[in-house]
């Protein structure tokens, strides 16, 4: 799938693109089931909220077959290769749960802010591409974006080690308010299987999930191979050190598994 000229223009202006229903409900159900198996594991890569509910599973592509395949899926790799204009490696891979009732906030931040400061990534030639494994609605803690905020470069940030279980370089309220005066604030919502691609400089956050509906999203953070990280402070399963270029698999790589595992759409 090639991004059109209009999509590339929209990405340049807004900093993100949204593709509702890019994966089928069978493919999303396969991955959702895999996420539940992972969240039930007692592993160092699975981080929890204070309540004990799962928050994030890192590096799931290294220990789960459906997530391994998703990490090389052409519907995710091809558009990012096109935008970044080169081969990619996996800088980070996370499955974020945002559990019903218990899912906590992700404070306002830019991903590249953390990748530059903590991992020594030379340039923002990296980005996220995310797949919804649940329906994401206004109620269950959707991602919030400030459109156009990727145009301002790296914004000053403070290292937040307290408000959540995950250390993050976060923006202050005044900065976020100023950026939102220009760009507004949006929450892309859609069915399980939708794909959201966004610039590593886009300012984003997500609110707590007090609803009775879970909101699992999987994020591939892909970096151009020439732009690999230069600093190795974080665990290798948080900021990967294998810079091997990803070769995309066949488009039906997940479908094959839905057949063998007898997954049916909800
Ligand atoms: C992130 O910004 O990296 C995660 C936010 C979320 O999953 O809500
Ligand atoms: Mn982020």
């Amino acid at each position: 799938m090639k991004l059109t000229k209009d999509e590339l223009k929209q990405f340049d202006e807004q900093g993100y693109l949204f593709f509702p229903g890019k994966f089928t409900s069978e493919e999303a159900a396969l991955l959702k089931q895999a996420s539940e198996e992972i969240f039930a594991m007692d592993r160092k890569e699975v981080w929890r909220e204070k309540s004990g509910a799962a928050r994030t599973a890192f590096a799931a592509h290294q220990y789960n077959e459906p997530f391994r395949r998703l990490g090389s899926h052409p519907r995710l790799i091809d558009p990012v290769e096109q935008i970044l204009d080169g081969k990619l490696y996996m800088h980070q891979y996370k499955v974020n749960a945002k559990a019903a009732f218990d899912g906590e906030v992700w404070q306002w931040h830019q991903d590249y802010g953390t990748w530059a400061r903590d991992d020594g990534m030379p340039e923002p030639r990296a980005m996220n591409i995310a797949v919804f494994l649940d329906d994401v609605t206004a109620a269950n803690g959707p991602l919030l974006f400030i459109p156009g905020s990727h145009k301002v470069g790296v914004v000053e940030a403070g290292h937040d080690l307290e408000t959540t279980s995950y250390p993050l370089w976060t923006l202050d309220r005044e900065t976020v308010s100023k950026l939102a005066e220009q760009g507004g604030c949006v929450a892309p919502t859609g069915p399980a299987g939708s794909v959201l691609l966004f610039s590593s400089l886009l300012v984003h956050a997500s609110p707590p999930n007090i609803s009775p509906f879970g909101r699992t999203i999987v994020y591939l953070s892909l970096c151009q191979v020439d732009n690999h990280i230069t600093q190795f402070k974080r665990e290798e399963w948080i900021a990967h050190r294998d810079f091997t270029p990803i070769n995309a698999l066949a488009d039906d790589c997940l479908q094959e598994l839905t057949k063998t595992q007898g997954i049916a759409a909800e």
Side-chain angles (χ1 to χ4, degrees):
M1 171 206 79
K2 277 265 174 223
L3 297 171
T4 64
K5 249 192 183 162
D6 281 354
E7 286 167 339
L8 291 170
K9 183 165 177 275
Q10 198 185 327
F11 176 78
D12 178 55
E13 289 169 4
Q14 305 287 307
Y16 72 96
L17 289 172
F18 185 48
F19 303 97
K22 191 118 209 85
F23 286 83
T24 65
S25 44
E26 289 84 359
E27 289 168 325
L30 172 87
L31 294 162
K32 171 72 182 181
Q33 186 178 305
S35 74
E36 280 162 5
E37 285 161 20
I38 285 172
F39 292 146
M41 289 175 173
D42 186 16
R43 300 183 62 107
K44 60 181 184 312
E45 296 91 341
V46 180
W47 289 28
R48 298 189 180 275
E49 311 282 13
K50 290 181 199 103
S51 66
R55 177 175 175 86
T56 299
F58 286 99
H61 62 311
Q62 294 177 350
Y63 50 86
N64 177 277
E65 182 58 18
F67 285 120
R68 185 188 71 77
R69 293 185 184 206
L70 188 73
S72 302
H73 202 291
R75 277 173 250 166
L76 304 181
I77 301 300
D78 292 353
V80 179
E81 269 188 0
Q82 191 183 343
I83 290 177
L84 294 178
D85 196 20
K87 294 297 278 182
L88 309 168
Y89 80 94
M90 189 70 68
H91 170 59
Q92 187 174 80
Y93 192 114
K94 56 190 195 295
V95 188
N96 282 358
K98 191 78 78 171
F101 298 109
D102 282 325
E104 289 179 11
V105 66
W106 286 78
Q107 303 285 4
W108 287 103
H109 66 283
Q110 295 171 300
D111 283 0
Y112 182 67
T114 298
W115 300 342
R117 293 176 181 105
D118 287 353
D119 306 327
M121 187 184 284
E123 289 178 24
R125 278 185 283 132
M127 70 169 71
N128 285 309
I129 187 156
V131 185
F132 296 178
L133 305 191
D134 289 306
D135 297 345
V136 176
T137 71
N140 64 357
L143 279 169
L144 304 180
F145 288 165
I146 300 186
S149 56
H150 64 304
K151 295 276 191 192
V152 299
V154 181
V155 179
E156 210 180 286
H159 207 192
D160 176 11
L161 302 169
E162 271 163 30
T163 62
T164 65
S165 65
Y166 185 64
L168 204 60
W169 289 88
T170 59
L171 276 51
D172 65 37
R173 292 178 179 185
E174 200 189 332
T175 308
V176 174
S177 303
K178 274 201 191 126
L179 290 169
E181 271 171 28
Q182 299 294 314
C185 180
V186 298
T189 56
S194 299
V195 165
L196 192 50
L197 168 165
F198 55 103
S199 161
S200 58
L201 288 169
L202 193 73
V203 174
H204 62 285
S206 66
N209 183 11
I210 192 66
S211 87
F213 302 108
R215 188 235 65 177
T216 304
I217 301 179
V218 51
Y219 298 84
L220 278 60
S221 301
L222 297 161
C223 182
Q224 208 195 40
V225 283
D226 305 344
N227 189 49
H228 67 74
I229 63 170
T230 58
Q231 198 169 282
F232 307 108
K233 285 200 302 204
R234 301 202 291 174
E235 301 283 359
E236 62 77 27
W237 42 270
I238 294 182
H240 302 308
R241 298 170 199 173
D242 177 357
F243 311 133
T244 310
I246 297 170
N247 289 317
L249 298 171
D251 192 77
D252 64 354
C253 60
L254 288 174
Q255 237 166 290
E256 271 175 10
L257 290 180
T258 61
K259 282 181 205 137
T260 53
Q261 298 192 10
I263 299 272
E266 279 175 19

